[in-house]
Amino acid sequence: FKSAFFVVSTQSTGGVSAEVHCKNWCGKNTDGYVGLENIEKDFLGTWVTGLVLPAIINRSNPELIDYRDLYYNKSPEERFEISFDVVENHFDVPRLLDVEDMNRKHIDDQSVLTYLMAINKVMPEEIPEVPSEIVELKEIGSKRKV
């Protein structure tokens, strides 16, 4: 994998702001995942569920995170902890956020976007297909509120 030693630019590229680019990238990487249907309408509201990052990781490499287990059996705090560990240990992106910082009342959207842009830099450019177990999960439908 690519090294995470880089400077994250917050300037626009190609006429699209870094924020818009990041949100679009998240939307594409989480498309098809249960619990993330409203990511484009309510990015931060969706982010605090703790499901965005596991979906991005699972889409890139399903062996790193069991999205189904996190969706059904883990709290948002546990999801963040597991995801932050995977990003740091597998993708070499330093932990720029703390689980405690993910409280919706106090969330710093710029810190979240900076972290996601750092992850975007080390992920494969081509977005893989949604793993089959996620398609099955979507077809079953959500039986649990996130």
Side-chain angles (χ1 to χ4, degrees), residues 25-104:
W25 176 77
C26 286
K28 289 176 185 173
N29 274 279
T30 60
D31 185 40
Y33 281 76
V34 172
L36 301 174
E37 296 82 4
N38 293 322
I39 192 166
E40 293 185 23
K41 294 177 186 169
D42 184 13
F43 181 78
L44 287 179
T46 304
W47 171 260
V48 298
T49 66
L51 290 170
V52 174
L53 198 48
I56 291 170
I57 296 166
N58 179 267
R59 186 84 170 248
S60 169
N61 187 340
E63 295 174 9
L64 294 176
I65 281 199
D66 181 349
Y67 185 84
R68 181 188 301 242
D69 178 55
L70 268 64
Y71 179 79
Y72 283 114
N73 302 316
K74 304 295 182 195
S75 69
E77 294 80 13
E78 292 170 308
R79 295 169 185 160
F80 280 119
E81 188 61 43
I82 291 165
S83 300
F84 291 165
D85 282 347
V86 169
V87 168
E88 185 171 33
N89 295 320
H90 186 77
F91 296 104
D92 294 325
V93 174
R95 189 183 281 230
L96 302 176
L97 302 171
D98 292 318
V99 174
E100 298 80 30
D101 296 334
M102 298 301 101
N103 180 322
R104 187 174 197 170

Side-chain angles (χ1 to χ4, degrees), residues 129-145:
E129 293 294 319
V130 177
S132 60
E133 69 270 6
I134 301 304
V135 173
E136 292 168 12
L137 181 63
K138 183 94 173 169
E139 289 171 356
I140 292 170
S142 64
K143 295 182 181 177
R144 173 180 183 244
K145 278 197 161 189

